[in-house]
Amino acid sequence: MLPIEETDLQRIRSYFSEAILNRGWGYYRGRAVSRLQMEGHCARALVAGTKSYRVQLDFHNFSASACTCPYDDYCKHMAAVLYELSAQTKPEVLTLLAPHHQLALGLKRDTQPSAPLRVMNPPRETESVEEWHEKIDRILDEGKGRSGWVSSEVFLRKGETQLLPYAEEWAPDIRALYVLNVGMHLLEVLEERHRQPSYQYYESPGYVRSVTVRWIGNLYDQVAKLLMERHSRGYRECLEDTIRVLSRAAFPQLESVADWAQFYRMFWTTVPVDEKMIEQEVLRLRAEQERSAHTFGQQKLLLQALIHLLILTDQDEAAMNVADRERPLLVMDEVFEYLRSFVVYQKWSRLYKWLNWLRLTSRNFQPALVYQYVNCWSALKREGYVEDKEWEHILADLLPVSLNEYLQLLLEQERYREWVDLHLWYESDPLELAKEELRLVADEDLPSLLPLYHRATERWIREKNRDAYKRAVKILKKLKSHYRKLKQLPRWEQYIEGISKKYKRLSAFREELMKGKLLP
């Protein structure tokens, strides 16, 4: 049961603005709420938005309710959980909670996908792609697929359920192309819906885009399975028509909630095409790039598409030349997708070319990309594609991200003093370094290690708190053992006496020195 009296619902409702209630209603209707649990007087749940957010509603003290999203007030995710809890425990109270304009529309939520409509003239296997789209449009209108609010996820699922069964008996390869055309048509309709200002209340563009990314991936899983069989008669003509539709749909003039770049890349990667088709598409894309009447978004999509086709056909130098001319439009995350594929498929020479091409700009990468860049070079080094000298220059250029790899190189080359110097530069704590590495350096060049312990001791003392003093004493004990091993205890006694005098005003530090039995 809902842990609150109905008389208090209006009070709770007043915490939310009408706009937030509208958006929360959209999340509730879109089935974005999951893992709903009641614990005493608190409700806890996850709400899928730009990412998953944790919501807690406290019905004894509603002002203590919280959500992990960045919105600094009572948010749409909290409203969605309130609707979901009401629907599951006491549906009749939804009339008191729902946004005012929704009461006239009815409160029933779509739970089942629509069954395929029985139409007089359904899509047929022998028809052209253009005729498919005309009939898909009519079926969506007859099934009211364009009207009424449903979440993007429900809309796409209902569209599939309405439209895909018509092709169940078709040849698998023609059916695969029909599935792709249905997918493009549904995404275009989804874009039309979300250009209406009212839809911004229900779902954010980021959320819709995440839905389309998952849905496109699932769609191509179906297509890949269907295309495993031989091509039937009429496949090529149908494929050429599908490419024409894709070339029109995948480069929308306005900013899109659908990930058309993903749809386009997966088409050319998944669907069997011949070299001539790819050549024609490359020529078309180059011609489109020469036109000036493109939005920034279209220019970026055209660049991504052209680079993808050139890499797909092993034309790496041509892809680099295109990217060089349009660097401001380049999306580095997507470039790194290709680098990762080169590692997976062991295309080492191609990986080497691209890593060298990126080398001049690698310092400007986001930290996550720098780590990936280093990992790609590491893979090449393991395969013997990089000489030691070049490897050292690469690692030096990428410091501090490449610190671990550079330190390992210094150890392998027995450059122990440089290893210590690098740790001094980055203010490493010897207690946090790998014991086997410290042991190796101590065995080979113990005197070079001493400054590392001296510097770390001073840093911890300057922190001026009890825990830091304890840490400093641990380091000093280890330092003493090193002096003993070097048979330089007089130097140690001189050093510890100097430290004690330097920080004689720090009584807590002196106490820790006494406890550690480091003072005479």
Side-chain angles (χ1 to χ4, degrees), residues 120-142:
M120 294 294 293
N121 188 16
R124 302 184 189 282
E125 182 178 354
T126 54
E127 291 175 331
S128 68
V129 168
E130 184 179 349
E131 289 173 305
W132 286 350
H133 281 275
E134 289 174 359
K135 291 185 176 181
I136 289 168
D137 216 33
R138 178 166 50 80
I139 292 167
L140 288 176
D141 284 338
E142 290 177 5

Side-chain angles (χ1 to χ4, degrees), residues 136-376:
I136 289 168
D137 216 33
R138 178 166 50 80
I139 292 167
L140 288 176
D141 284 338
E142 290 177 5
K144 298 183 179 179
R146 297 178 185 274
S147 61
W149 193 90
V150 293
S151 71
S152 298
E153 192 168 4
V154 171
F155 167 78
L156 293 170
R157 191 172 68 246
K158 288 173 71 174
E160 279 188 89
T161 308
Q162 284 181 342
L163 296 162
L164 296 190
Y166 296 118
E168 281 182 352
E169 303 300 322
W170 297 8
D173 50 358
I174 302 295
R175 183 181 172 192
L177 296 178
Y178 174 76
V179 169
L180 290 175
N181 280 279
V182 167
M184 287 188 280
H185 202 107
L186 290 176
L187 289 176
E188 287 186 302
V189 174
L190 187 67
E191 285 185 314
E192 290 174 13
R193 286 158 42 97
H194 279 269
R195 289 190 188 119
Q196 301 172 27
S198 59
Y199 275 88
Q200 295 298 317
Y201 284 111
Y202 299 118
E203 295 178 317
S204 69
Y207 170 72
V208 179
R209 193 171 185 84
S210 68
V211 168
T212 66
V213 167
R214 292 194 302 271
W215 184 76
I216 290 169
N218 292 334
L219 194 76
Y220 273 98
D221 286 343
Q222 297 180 51
V223 168
K225 291 175 184 175
L226 291 169
L227 288 172
M228 292 172 69
E229 300 192 24
R230 287 179 59 186
H231 298 162
S232 57
R233 194 169 64 179
Y235 172 79
R236 184 180 179 85
E237 182 181 353
C238 188
L239 175 59
E240 290 172 345
D241 288 346
T242 301
I243 290 172
R244 280 191 283 273
V245 173
L246 176 66
S247 300
R248 172 186 54 78
F251 305 94
Q253 190 169 18
L254 300 176
E255 187 174 355
S256 175
V257 292
D259 193 340
W260 282 108
Q262 180 202 13
F263 197 103
Y264 185 92
R265 287 195 304 270
M266 292 191 75
F267 177 90
W268 291 100
T269 305
T270 307
V271 179
V273 295
D274 58 40
E275 289 184 9
K276 186 176 180 181
M277 289 179 175
I278 296 179
E279 288 172 7
Q280 289 173 342
E281 180 65 4
V282 167
L283 290 173
R284 189 193 71 81
L285 291 171
R286 289 186 184 278
E288 281 293 321
Q289 281 190 316
E290 297 301 318
R291 293 176 53 209
S292 58
H294 289 307
T295 63
F296 179 80
Q298 283 178 310
Q299 292 173 31
K300 192 158 72 170
L301 288 170
L302 286 166
L303 177 65
Q304 292 169 353
L306 183 54
I307 289 175
H308 179 71
L309 292 182
L310 292 172
I311 291 177
L312 198 63
T313 52
D314 296 349
Q315 300 181 65
D316 293 324
E317 286 80 4
M320 292 173 195
N321 290 336
V322 170
D324 276 328
R325 292 197 302 271
E326 306 285 354
R327 272 194 186 259
L329 298 171
L330 198 60
V331 180
M332 280 299 171
D333 285 338
E334 294 181 0
V335 174
F336 273 84
E337 284 187 27
Y338 298 116
L339 301 189
R340 289 193 291 272
S341 73
F342 293 154
V343 173
V344 171
Y345 295 106
Q346 300 183 358
K347 306 289 186 181
W348 305 120
S349 59
R350 299 184 70 189
L351 179 63
Y352 183 78
K353 287 180 192 175
W354 278 96
L355 291 178
N356 272 306
W357 179 77
L358 290 167
R359 196 161 167 180
L360 290 176
T361 56
S362 58
R363 282 189 167 274
N364 300 323
F365 292 164
Q366 294 295 322
L369 289 184
V370 180
Y371 280 112
Q372 291 184 47
Y373 186 68
V374 171
N375 289 337
C376 288

Side-chain angles (χ1 to χ4, degrees), residues 487-501:
K487 298 180 181 180
Q488 295 181 5
L489 281 177
R491 279 190 64 191
W492 158 256
E493 289 167 1
Q494 185 181 6
Y495 170 73
I496 196 67
E497 183 181 353
I499 283 283
S500 177
K501 286 181 180 179

Side-chain angles (χ1 to χ4, degrees), residues 454-471:
H454 291 159
R455 294 271 189 90
T457 299
E458 296 268 357
R459 281 199 307 276
W460 283 113
I461 294 172
R462 288 196 295 270
E463 291 287 325
K464 294 185 179 180
N465 63 72
R466 181 72 69 168
D467 288 339
Y469 298 151
K470 290 179 179 179
R471 188 83 171 180

Side-chain angles (χ1 to χ4, degrees), residues 81-99:
V81 172
L82 187 61
Y83 293 138
E84 184 66 39
L85 181 64
S86 303
Q88 290 188 19
T89 61
K90 210 167 187 180
E92 62 271 18
V93 305
L94 279 176
T95 56
L96 299 175
L97 292 170

